[in-house]
């Protein structure tokens, strides 16, 4: 039916973990893999963490206040911080992809620059929310 | 097979819609969620002292007796679920070679997301 299936293409599937770790991805590649990791993180945490938290925040003034009590736990703070980072990175990198789809910044130099901007904005905002979360101000 | 088209000299493209729907859905749902995020962020920023009532009001406000807050949140959440389906399925397709395991993971993903939608709807629409 299809001649593309009859001719086997070379496959490189036997990569080992140390090999993957030793590859130095360009900034755009790092943004891409973190986009995937943060998306998977948000997907997994959605019914486990995010929705229960949402339920408690809107149900009653007592449950709203109870969240403050849990967040006092440093482990909860770290989970929340990871989710905040995940959302911000996924958001910023996603906007970058939408712009690339519109053929904005497709050349090598500006694509690399925009990947840097993604990390800059998402990490800076994570820092701001993190400082707020840990009660620095 | 008269409708098959050759791309370039080698590649014979077969299939129904070549993933165009998924491609468009991924981008449209992304824009919907991004806009909703900005609307919600503006709502939070322009609430001087956030408390339970004003937080809840972001999701329950009415506009001419229309439950606009709940409608917007529902539409954004449905976008999220469809977006997550396309994205997570991409992950399974990229890394899971075994067709049986992939089918299992895809079914699990659908159950996970449909469960989340029902859970969210129950929280939101019982307010």
């Amino acid at each position: 039916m299809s001649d593309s299936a009859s001719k086997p293409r070379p496959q490189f599937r036997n990569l080992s973990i140390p090999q993957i770790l030793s590859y130095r991805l360009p900034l755009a590649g790092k943004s891409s893999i973190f986009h995937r990791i943060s998306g998977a993180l948000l997907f997994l945490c959605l019914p486990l963490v995010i929705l229960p938290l949402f339920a408690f925040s809107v149900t009653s003034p007592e449950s709203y206040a109870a969240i403050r009590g849990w967040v006092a736990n440093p482990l909860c703070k770290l989970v929340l911080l990871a989710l905040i980072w995940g959302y911000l990175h996924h958001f910023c990198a996603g906007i970058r992809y939408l712009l690339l789809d519109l053929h904005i910044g497709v050349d090598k130099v500006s694509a690399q620059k925009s990947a840097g901007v993604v990390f800059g904005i998402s990490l800076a905002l994570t820092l701001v929310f993190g400082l707020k979360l840990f009660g620095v101000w | 097979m008269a409708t098959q088209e050759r791309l370039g000299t080698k590649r014979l493209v077969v299939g129904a819609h070549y993933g165009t729907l998924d491609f468009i859905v991924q981008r449209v749902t992304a824009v919907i969620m991004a806009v909703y995020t900005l609307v919600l962020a503006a709502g939070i920023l322009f609430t001087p002292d956030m408390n339970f009532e004003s937080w809840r009001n972001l999701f329950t406000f009415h506009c001419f007796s229309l439950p606009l807050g709940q409608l917007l949140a529902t539409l954004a959440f449905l976008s999220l679920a469809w977006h997550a389906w396309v994205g997570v399925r991409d992950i399974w397709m990229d890394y899971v070679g075994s067709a049986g395991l992939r089918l299992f993971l895809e079914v699990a993903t659908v159950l996970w997301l449909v469960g989340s939608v029902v859970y969210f709807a129950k929280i939101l629409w019982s307010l």
Side-chain angles (χ1 to χ4, degrees):
Chain A
M1 190 175 99
S2 133
D3 61 1
S4 62
S6 61
K7 208 192 302 171
R9 290 150 68 194
Q11 293 198 342
F12 305 96
R13 280 175 173 261
N14 52 346
L15 295 175
S16 63
I17 299 285
Q19 254 178 317
I20 293 171
L21 293 178
S22 69
Y23 286 152
R24 289 191 301 134
L25 281 171
L27 215 48
K30 289 200 181 87
S31 162
S32 172
I33 192 63
F34 281 127
H35 190 70
R36 179 159 274 193
I37 292 169
S38 56
L41 176 79
L42 293 168
F43 164 77
L44 286 176
C45 289
L46 184 64
L48 299 180
V49 181
I50 301 170
L51 286 179
L53 215 55
F54 176 71
F56 271 87
S57 77
V58 291
T59 303
S60 69
E62 291 76 29
S63 61
Y64 178 86
I67 292 177
R68 211 171 270 277
W70 305 330
V71 174
N73 185 332
L75 195 68
C76 289
K77 278 198 199 340
L78 282 180
V79 171
L80 279 183
L81 193 64
L83 287 173
I84 289 168
W85 166 80
Y87 193 89
L88 288 168
H89 182 84
H90 208 84
F91 184 91
C92 294
I95 301 271
R96 176 173 173 271
Y97 288 139
L98 289 175
L99 293 176
L100 289 173
D101 283 342
L102 297 172
H103 296 259
I104 298 171
V106 188
D107 66 286
K108 197 173 163 185
V109 176
S110 33
Q112 211 152 21
K113 263 189 206 160
S114 61
V117 171
V118 165
F119 278 106
I121 294 178
S122 63
L123 290 176
L125 284 175
T126 304
L127 186 70
V128 169
F129 285 113
L131 290 175
K132 182 93 179 145
L133 184 65
F134 281 88
V136 174
W137 98 90
Chain B
M1 292 289 164
T3 53
Q4 285 181 1
E5 276 183 64
R6 233 167 242 284
L7 285 190
T9 54
K10 294 251 162 53
R11 204 150 72 93
L12 183 65
V13 176
V14 293
H17 48 66
Y18 316 124
T20 319
L21 178 71
D22 292 325
F23 181 92
I24 303 277
V25 163
Q26 196 70 334
R27 276 122 190 107
V28 172
T29 53
V31 170
I32 293 170
M33 286 186 288
V35 170
Y36 186 70
T37 299
L38 296 178
V39 168
L40 215 52
I44 293 168
L45 282 176
F46 290 114
T47 307
D49 44 355
M50 183 60 78
N51 55 29
F52 170 72
E53 283 302 325
S54 45
W55 168 253
R56 184 184 157 121
N57 189 46
L58 290 172
F59 307 100
T60 54
F61 72 90
H62 282 60
C63 190
F64 302 111
S65 78
L66 190 76
L68 193 62
Q70 281 162 313
L71 283 174
L72 292 181
T74 303
L75 292 174
F77 199 85
L78 289 175
S79 294
L80 191 159
W82 202 350
H83 187 91
W85 160 244
V86 176
V88 172
R89 198 187 63 146
D90 275 349
I91 296 182
W92 303 143
M93 288 196 296
D94 278 357
Y95 302 129
V96 182
S98 147
L101 179 60
R102 203 166 58 234
L103 177 65
F104 171 78
L105 289 169
E106 284 171 358
V107 170
T109 304
V110 171
L111 295 177
W112 190 261
L113 287 171
V114 172
S116 297
V117 168
V118 173
Y119 183 18
F120 181 74
K122 184 190 170 291
I123 299 166
L124 188 72
W125 289 90
S126 55
L127 292 179

